[in-house]
Amino acid sequence: MQNILVTGGAGYIGSHICIQLRDAGYLPVVFDNLSNGHRDAVAQDIPFIEADIRDSNALDRAFSDFRPSAVIHMAALIEAGVSMLEPAQFYEVNTAGSLNLFEAMRRHNCHRIVLSSTAAVYGNTHLDLLNESLPVLPENPYGRSKAMIETMLADYSATYGFNTIVLRYFNAAGADPDGRTGERHDPETHLIPLALQTAAGVRKEMKIFGCDYETPDGTCVRDYIHVDDLAEAHVKALQNITPQEESAFEIINIGTGRGYSVKEIIKLCQNITGQNFPVSIEARRPGDAANLVADPTKAKMLLNWEPKFCSAHDIIRHAWNFYKKTMP
Ligand SMILES: NC(=O)c1ccc[n+]([C@@H]2O[C@H](COP(=O)([O-])OP(=O)(O)OC[C@H]3O[C@@H](n4cnc5c(N)ncnc54)[C@H](O)[C@@H]3O)[C@@H](O)[C@H]2O)c1
């Protein structure tokens, strides 16, 4: 059985990836400092290392003890809005922390990596669909910190023989269809969980930031990818990654190719929960792109991956089921 080091494995997406890795016959080894993750999101029989990717000694111990054949690197700070106020934190944790991880990989001769990157690297393009050959022009320090990690890995692949697959996720959403894990960010800033919290009465109203974008109803359009489909893309990436001896570098979008506006998502949340909660319109937030929808052609071609859940209805239904099960 191959061991896979999963940084950030106690987080929202990481906990879903661990379930699918185990189902596919891998042993995930979670490396997470629990700054935003949850210990109970990871099954007790999965090895768990509570440590920080900026800690070289802890990384050395993890590589020596578990000899992973590959790394799935998700540990990061993720809030684009916070990155506008505190960019240094994002460059320190995301960019410098990743460099520290890649150096540990070199020391331990582990050259295979799947990186969590983001559609935020594309910035504001005004294009209907975004493909991987577009220039990288992120609008905020979060996106720039991720773009820097991608660039480092391109150089590590060309120079040190790394085999890299960069997965640029669009908006991860939903929950494990069997309800084993789901989204529990604190504070929460993602649209669907915020709308569900409002439906549950935990929040008074739902805020829409900007209704004067150049989109059909004036609100931002995003491509919502079911977290279960996203997790499956990682397993396929591992199965397709080049063997240890050769170097490679690929960037692949993970999205559905279908966009939903903020207003459409809120309406669906109201329908599914049966709660007609209040909604207010606020000013635009700095750093938000109008339209981020994936061209998912390359994922189908290179990974033979396609999303199973293309409708936001399923995504919201699974998220609502998990929320009802775990709500305070
Ligand atoms: N959620 C999305 O829609 C989305 C979209 C695009 C990309 N991503 C990327 O996917 C990855 C996972 O996102 P998520 O939504 O699961 O976020 P999350 O916050 O739930 O998970 C991140 C995990 O990393 C851990 N972590 C943070 N800093 C760390 C450090 N210094 N050392 C060790 N562990 C650390 C946290 O404790 C947490 O468990 C991130 O890299 C994020 O940038 C997420």
Side-chain angles (χ1 to χ4, degrees), residues 11 63 75 104-105 124 137-138 158 191 194 206 215 247 254 303 317:
F63 280 100
M105 290 175 67
N124 222 341
L137 295 165
L191 178 64
L194 284 177
M206 188 66 205
T215 58
S247 83
I254 302 296
L303 303 180
R317 201 166 42 83

Side-chain angles (χ1 to χ4, degrees), residues 8 10-14 31-38 51-54 73-78 93 116-119 142 146 169-172 185 190:
Y12 167 46
I13 300 167
F31 189 102
D32 195 303
N33 68 356
L34 294 181
S35 55
N36 289 312
H38 303 271
D52 196 297
I53 52 167
R54 291 165 292 177
H73 177 34
M74 274 175 300
L77 300 179
I78 66 162
V93 173
S116 295
S117 190
T118 166
Y142 164 67
K146 288 281 179 172
Y169 317 161
F170 283 65
N171 281 49
H185 290 128
H190 292 156

